[in-house]
Amino acid sequence: MGKYKQLAINISIFALNFVATKLITFLLVPLYTYYLSKAEFGLTDMSVTVNMMVGPLATLAIADAVIRFVIEDHEHSGRYVLTGVTVTLLGTVVIALLLPLLDLPFFGGLGNYRFQYLCTFISSNFFSLFGEIARGLGILNLIPVCAITSSIVTTVLAVVCISWLGMGANGYFIAVSVGPTIGCLLYLIIGGLGKIIFFEIRELKHNVRGYLAVQYISFRSMLRYSLPLVPNSLFWWIGTSINRFFLTGILGVACSGLFAAASKIPSLLSMVYQVFLQAWQISAFQEAHDNPSVFFSRIYAVLRPVMFMASSALMLISPWLASLLLQREFYQAWTLIPMLLIAILFNVLNSFVGTVYTTTMKTKGLMFTTLLGAASSVALNAMLIPVCGVMGACYAMAISNALVFVLRIFGTKTILTFDMQWGKFTIAATLLGLQTIVVSSQINGYFLVSAFICAALAIIEIFGMRRYLALLLGKVLNPNRSR
């Protein structure tokens, strides 16, 4: 099967996973914004933010190494699976010991829910790890099944605990802990991950010294790959989530809640990209030993226009989406959405360019560019939030993400080059920037002006990418010609 056709099949599988999980989660936003106060919503968002920060640190980003090494050395995949599970277990113990730190004031009261937070940490990190293992082993059909089941359980519990029983934040934590836990059990039982782990433990018991010697070599290789991703994850978190702490410390947890609510609509763009990214990483890793420059160029030539058009379309309908999803006092945050879409768009683009580093196993360059982006985010949030309020956090995110994108474009030139289509990029960015100004400022007739810009951008982008789209479709339908 050709690599383009395989990529298309994988994307369709992860698209099903997206519809069944992320979309359902997105549709829960009205429930949260209706039944939770701004402070409660800000606190639940803080728990997600903290998990994104400490997860890679506690687990040494081992899940990223597991998928890479399982694909690279499928014959010894059990070793990498056991390593991933062991490191994640040890990370859970570390987090449990550090729970008293959640009492610090800038965590916005999360210390009152420390046990609930620990449950969400355990369930979400193991669910993520098992998903990466399944991707590496090629058990892709199981991923939507586990995700659908997890989502259904989470949704039912959210409705029962938050809406019917009025449990507030406690109901949220119950829902988001139990759902992924059920998903983990499915991976272990139906997916056979439990058998793989049991087999490796049995091998360990039969020959402890020999097994540990081999395991140490594997572990060391995995750490060389994953350790640069740990600070990279931390710096990425700083760049995308440190604004919550600035907002909470300067303006209060309620303002952080408003920002979190406004971020839900732009996050649709990121969710759609994640569907592509999960499939793309597999294909990129599999093609790492060939010449991937043409492959990258063709995929980017379609991905970038699609992301720009999606951003423009979401910006156009953002007032309508906000009226549906942001209930009561949360609706006022909708004017933040256009600038947040710009921020998410650049995050998507720099993420795609970042796969050059992970594909070629040169993860130090990924860490360096993310570090500079994080430093700029901290400085910009500190400067802009006191002056511009919540919008200052949006400006800071957009500027820092754009900086990372530029740094990675120049940083990857010596590793792998692909056509960035700067002329088309500049035209599209100018139109989208103009639309952002029009919608955010709400000038007279802004919807009609926004619609005109959206249509113009779509025409230009579709015309520009039609040749590449036709080429990719041809290679999907005729895989024998894919190389």
Side-chain angles (χ1 to χ4, degrees), residues 33-92:
T33 57
Y34 187 84
Y35 287 99
L36 301 179
S37 67
K38 288 188 290 185
E40 284 180 317
F41 191 83
L43 188 142
T44 60
D45 182 69
M46 180 64 72
S47 71
V48 176
T49 301
V50 172
N51 196 25
M52 290 167 59
M53 173 184 69
V54 302
L57 293 174
T59 64
L60 304 179
I62 201 67
D64 294 298
V66 171
I67 180 176
R68 186 69 180 89
F69 279 79
V70 167
I71 290 176
E72 186 81 13
D73 183 13
H74 198 81
E75 182 181 353
H76 302 104
S77 58
R79 297 177 188 170
Y80 308 122
V81 171
L82 183 60
T83 298
V85 171
T86 303
V87 173
T88 304
L89 281 172
L90 293 175
T92 299

Side-chain angles (χ1 to χ4, degrees), residues 221-303:
S221 299
M222 294 173 74
L223 281 187
R224 277 199 298 266
Y225 177 86
S226 70
L227 280 181
L229 296 178
V230 175
N232 176 71
S233 297
L234 176 61
F235 299 146
W236 175 86
W237 173 87
I238 291 173
T240 58
S241 303
I242 195 68
N243 43 39
R244 266 66 159 189
F245 292 93
F246 278 102
L247 288 168
T248 301
I250 298 173
L251 303 177
V253 70
C255 287
S256 178
L258 282 176
F259 180 86
S263 301
K264 298 302 180 183
I265 293 175
S267 69
L268 269 177
L269 187 69
S270 179
M271 290 178 187
V272 171
Y273 173 71
Q274 289 301 316
V275 173
F276 164 80
L277 181 62
Q278 291 179 74
W280 168 246
Q281 283 182 325
I282 297 173
S283 296
F285 292 163
Q286 290 171 341
E287 297 297 321
H289 298 297
D290 295 332
N291 180 12
S293 296
V294 174
F295 193 31
F296 268 76
S297 296
R298 289 172 177 171
I299 299 300
Y300 174 81
V302 174
L303 174 69

Side-chain angles (χ1 to χ4, degrees), residues 328-339:
R328 299 189 299 180
E329 67 266 33
F330 288 94
Y331 179 74
Q332 61 182 294
W334 85 266
T335 55
L336 304 175
I337 293 173
M339 186 53 64

